[in-house]
Amino acid sequence: MEELAEAAGIPVRTLRFYRERRLLPPPRRDGRIAWYSDDHLARLRTITALLDRGHTLGGIAELIGAWENGRTLDGVAELLGLEGALTSPWSDETPVRLTPQELADYFGEEVSAENLTAALDIGYIVVDGEDVVHISRRLLEASAALVREGIPLSAVLDAGRAVRDHVDAMAEVFTQVIKEHVLVPHQGPLSGEDHPAAETLDRLRPLAKNIVDAEMSLAMDRRMRAETDIWLRPRAATGAAADGAVGADREVGEASAPCRAPRGATCESGAVESDWGGTRATTE
């Protein structure tokens, strides 16, 4: 119940109240464990959408009851026809069930109690009996690939937690845009799946993903250029200093030394002292 309430963005006490009012069907029981499904989450999101449009809980209960019985009551079928468009998933992620050995095949020695706890806390995995279920095959394989590249799983999970916060903020931006410019203008009677709001929502799904993907790519370009410049600048300065020192040594070695032999004697190859940069350098 706590997990369902968190996914729906409502307090647990509100969820209990909905159950008492029979707005929510009972969960599937497995011993003392109650299992809620995506259908329960979709129902909660529908209730929230109807409340946002000004419906009372009593009216919503009547509408849902009529809908479940297959009856049309004051246009209830048309009203709830938008449920699928509002609550159908925006993602196409595939959960993956893993045995402990299969999990070790992905992450090897990185499978520790600390990392498992972090993955559970983020919501990447849930425990189901002796197995774990990862919420997304794409996230699972991407995380394993990062670990194979030498990035610790703990760092991958920390990054995942930070990314989750940022994408939640982006989702909030898109949700408010959709609510203000798509849902609110259509306050009149709905006409099921053919309603323009439903069609607009279907078209917006890939557009939102494209915008986020494009912005992420552009942001990575900006950040990597900045980081590369910061990383290369001291190395370039060090290289320039080394080149200057080598050039100076070459000038010292190639300098012509004055002959200091007595008149009439021949200058022999020997040690000649010369000054460079305030220090004494000896050349042969």
Side-chain angles (χ1 to χ4, degrees), residues 89-253:
W90 283 60
S91 68
D92 53 0
E93 302 304 318
T94 304
V96 183
R97 176 177 291 274
L98 300 166
T99 65
Q101 181 57 52
E102 289 171 336
L103 189 62
D105 290 341
Y106 273 98
F107 298 106
E109 297 180 355
E110 292 287 320
V111 179
S112 63
E114 293 79 8
N115 286 336
L116 287 174
T117 300
L120 283 166
D121 184 53
I122 298 172
Y124 281 171
I125 63 173
V126 294
V127 177
D128 187 6
E130 296 183 354
D131 298 339
V132 298
V133 178
H134 199 289
I135 61 171
S136 166
R137 180 174 295 278
R138 288 198 299 173
L139 286 175
L140 171 65
E141 294 179 349
S143 299
L146 290 172
V147 170
R148 288 195 298 271
E149 293 295 332
I151 301 176
L153 181 56
S154 58
V156 173
L157 293 172
D158 287 342
R161 190 190 304 274
V163 168
R164 175 72 62 83
D165 292 337
H166 289 295
V167 296
D168 280 346
M170 287 190 291
E172 175 65 19
V173 171
F174 280 106
T175 300
Q176 292 303 317
V177 170
I178 291 171
K179 179 180 178 180
E180 180 178 355
H181 299 285
V182 178
L183 299 180
V184 172
H186 299 292
Q187 294 287 354
L190 305 179
S191 57
E193 296 178 356
D194 294 331
H195 191 277
E199 297 176 359
T200 303
L201 286 173
D202 287 337
R203 291 193 298 269
L204 286 177
R205 285 180 172 83
L207 295 178
K209 293 179 181 180
N210 289 341
I211 291 172
V212 173
D213 182 66
E215 287 288 359
M216 178 62 181
S217 299
L218 292 170
M220 286 299 297
D221 287 341
R222 292 191 296 269
R223 293 302 308 161
M224 288 304 298
R225 282 197 298 269
E227 291 297 326
T228 300
D229 182 61
I230 294 172
W231 184 75
L232 290 178
R233 189 181 300 125
R235 287 160 178 78
T238 301
D243 290 343
V246 170
D249 289 342
R250 186 179 299 113
E251 290 176 3
V252 170

Side-chain angles (χ1 to χ4, degrees), residues 18 21-24 43 46-47 50-51 55-80:
Y18 288 168
R21 295 290 297 268
R22 299 185 182 277
L23 294 172
L24 198 67
R43 175 65 63 82
T46 298
I47 293 172
L50 293 173
L51 287 171
H55 294 272
T56 64
L57 285 177
I60 293 173
E62 186 178 7
L63 295 174
I64 290 177
W67 176 55
E68 288 179 336
N69 293 325
R71 295 184 287 109
T72 299
L73 177 62
D74 296 331
V76 70
E78 290 77 15
L79 178 62
L80 296 181

